[in-house]
Amino acid sequence: MAKQSEAQVVLRLDRITKTFGALVANDAVSLDLHKGEVIALLGENGAGKTTLMNILFGHYTADTGSVEVFGQELPPGNPRAALAAGVGMVHQHFTLADNMTVLENIVLGTQPLWRLGFDRSAARARIIKLSGDFGLTVHPDARVGALSVGERQRVEILKALYRDARILILDEPTAVLTPQETDDLFATMRKAVDLGLSVVFISHKLHEVMAISSRVLVLRHGRLVAEVLTEGTDRHVLATLMVGEEVTPPKVADSTAGPALMRLQNVSTADQGSAPGLKSLSLDLRAGQIIGLAGVSGNGQSALADMIGGLTTPLSGTIALENSEPVNWTPRAAVSAGIARIPEDRHKTGTIADFDLTENAILENYSEAPYSRKGWMNWQKAEDFSKHIIDTYDVRCPGPQTRIRLLSGGNMQKLILGRVLEQSPSIILANQPVRGLDIGAVSYVHSRLLDARAGGAAVLLISEDLEEIMALSDVIHVISEGRLSPGFPRGSKTAAELGVWMAGHGFDEEATNAA
């Protein structure tokens, strides 16, 4: 990377202010970005990071302030001007057409795809060259709907590079990526910087900020509160700057497990395309216990979560709830049984985008008291509940009538967590519960899961973060290709030993020993 003092300033934001009603999203924020530099924009959920970048890209118009790219002031609220100036943005939530190919998605908007003069072979050749130059392996003719999350993100980055982006904004790019996909993304970013691109990396993951950036700018409640060189700081200092106070992880005391609230016996489910189903899986979810499920993404975690939540039924095996077997296992039956779901995908299965916060807060129990009586809705009770979640879980939003699609991913997750945890459920299915949350919110969610355990709930924690699994779980299982390992008490296995099971080798050894 070029030295900051010598490098050209390619981007300058000057005293950007943006309000939404009474909410001040950005408060006189100024920053510079230099050629061949990665700066990290760090902050809590709702600190104003995404709003600031949406102003830069022209999606929002600032109340006051200006944006300069390569010395030229951009007209406000004009994404085409930002694109023409060399700014590319990869949003936290992808904007791809599933029914189109990679090539069609990348070229879309640059020229008509089906005109006679469109040179598809030239477009394919350019995409292949960009893929090779930046390490973004993806087939131009692949259907986007069939791609993994990591592959879709590569397509989004290629879209920006195809348009000759010289400044790349990555908004929470690792929120839905596996650790392996994150490593691939960072390799791409380093190649991009070596080729002269400049990157704004928006995140709240401190270890990633330390790994990839040269400077860190910290936003808190819409204001720029600190700017530090990455090499001169550490994760503890950044956490304190971000939250404004010391962040202490909750202490995990030993617990005594109670009776099995849910028992799965030799359960198998159908494969879903290339994703494996469950293979004769047996598992007890006990009162007062957190069961951690570790594994590489796509090894049956979704199949297990769907089945527990009533979305699928087993091909074979049994589901028992406190020694009774439900006749028809459906989502309604699961909710009635006291199973609360924190779903993996907060957009597709956790919320309804055009519903407001109040409507989303009561999605699973809108037909019950106190929100409904004899078919009539009590919207005041519903709004009171929504306000309680907003206040208790620090959901940054203009108010309970806000459409949930307008919130940041982390604030959407907070609303879902409040909806689940405030119902005092007996069984909690926590599937990636802190994905997209900042360090302060993570600590709070973990403490609430521990409180639920102390109150007698059974918690199934599904996470791709092995540190989280090892820290919170009373018993850890590993899932690989739909198979479940034996239960390992907390502290009995190292990360490396769990990694052997995650790679499938522990199952092979177990089968050999059994034979």
Side-chain angles (χ1 to χ4, degrees), residues 72 75 124 139 166 170 231 284 348 442:
Q72 300 296 314
R124 181 182 288 104
H139 197 288
R166 292 175 288 169
L170 301 176
E231 63 182 9
D284 287 353
K348 289 185 177 180
V442 167

Side-chain angles (χ1 to χ4, degrees), residues 250 392-394 421-422 439-449:
T392 305
Y393 291 81
D394 190 26
L421 297 176
E422 291 301 308
I439 189 169
V442 167
S443 180
Y444 180 73
V445 171
H446 286 172
S447 67
R448 292 303 302 262
L449 290 177

Side-chain angles (χ1 to χ4, degrees), residues 90-170:
V90 178
H91 296 272
Q92 182 179 160
H93 313 305
F94 304 149
T95 54
L96 299 172
D98 284 356
N99 62 329
M100 298 174 72
T101 67
V102 168
L103 182 149
E104 290 164 349
N105 270 277
I106 291 172
V107 177
L108 187 65
T110 64
Q111 55 186 303
L113 293 176
W114 291 280
R115 74 177 184 185
L116 292 177
F118 173 50
D119 191 341
R120 189 173 290 265
S121 62
R124 181 182 288 104
R126 187 173 178 209
I127 291 169
I128 290 171
K129 185 178 188 304
L130 287 170
S131 298
D133 289 345
F134 291 92
L136 295 163
T137 305
V138 64
H139 197 288
D141 298 319
R143 190 76 57 184
V144 163
L147 300 181
S148 69
V149 172
E151 289 170 326
R152 289 173 185 232
Q153 188 178 69
R154 293 174 205 164
V155 177
E156 287 279 17
I157 296 174
L158 283 168
K159 275 175 59 178
L161 297 174
Y162 190 86
R163 290 160 173 77
D164 298 318
R166 292 175 288 169
I167 298 170
L168 199 57
I169 306 164
L170 301 176

